[in-house]
Amino acid sequence: GLPKEGRVIYYSSRGPGANFGAGPSVISPLASLTHSSPTSGFRAFSGTSSAAPALAGFATVLISAIQQIDLPLDVSTLVAAIKLSGKRMNDVPYVFQGMGLPQIKDAMSVYKKLLKGDLLERVIPTIDGLVANDGISAGGLIFKKSEFHKKQQYLVTLNSNFSGLISASERFNKVKIAKIEYSASWITGVDKTWLEEGYSRIGISIDPQKIEWNGKTEIFGEVKVIDDNTGHLIGLLPITLLD
């Protein structure tokens, strides 16, 4: 969540976690929101308890707008529109903020693009051959500095889907081009790839010799998947280094 100063509050959830989860999907305002109850009337409250209902209100407004202009409503597509409308904070790692702070006007525009198949609904990167104890595929990477001495190479599967409101024949005949961007020089790989309904793969390399710690105890990196046509961030693989 975001307090009014515009930073991610220290007690917000972060990732990757024990099951390689990538942390929060989006962030939300959590300071000085108004709450009412039959016993206490109106009052301000803050915290993660207010961040979640703020997003619920966002979703409610978006649903109402979709229904008012008679567009078909699909929950999965709605969630994707909220995520893809996110405005990310500068210099804040993905594992702190996810896709960023959703923007209501952008969310409606994104929803329309999803309905037309101009945007993929989701692109979920996972690391081939790396799973947690509960069998969940790795959606992020964590390295300990003491165990990280030579270049690591990974095959990343990009699991992609269009909106379920698009016919199956149309979904399986669409191909999108994506740019792959790397947040640091110690992460390398291909610059572009193709995406379709189903999955594709890219390879990435992580070189510990190029990492400048400079006394830091943690360093964050990102592999971004960006729609080549619209410029939307549609998927991201977070990488966390710990000293």
Side-chain angles (χ1 to χ4, degrees), residues 5-109:
E5 306 94 276
R7 57 181 170 81
V8 179
I9 200 72
Y10 69 92
Y11 53 78
S12 280
S13 298
R14 287 167 171 79
N19 68 342
F20 301 105
S25 297
V26 290
I27 49 178
S28 169
L30 55 58
S32 301
L33 300 181
T34 302
H35 165 77
S36 66
S37 69
T39 56
S40 60
F42 287 94
R43 60 187 176 88
F45 78 130
S46 302
T48 52
S49 297
S50 64
L55 275 175
F58 183 105
T60 303
V61 171
L62 183 57
I63 290 169
S64 177
I66 290 168
Q67 291 176 329
Q68 285 181 45
I69 57 176
D70 294 324
L71 291 178
L73 179 62
D74 176 73
V75 172
S76 182
T77 306
L78 177 85
V79 171
I82 293 172
K83 291 179 180 179
L84 294 177
S85 76
K87 182 178 180 180
R88 300 189 73 209
M89 299 174 64
N90 294 329
D91 303 319
V92 176
Y94 177 80
V95 295
F96 285 32
Q97 65 171 323
M99 300 295 275
L101 184 67
Q103 308 294 307
I104 191 69
K105 291 182 179 179
D106 292 340
M108 175 59 84
S109 174

Side-chain angles (χ1 to χ4, degrees), residues 130-152:
L130 186 58
V131 296
N133 292 333
D134 55 8
I136 295 176
S137 297
L141 288 169
I142 304 177
F143 296 97
K144 296 178 182 178
K145 183 180 179 182
S146 59
E147 301 171 351
F148 189 27
H149 304 295
K150 61 181 181 179
K151 182 182 287 188
Q152 303 288 325

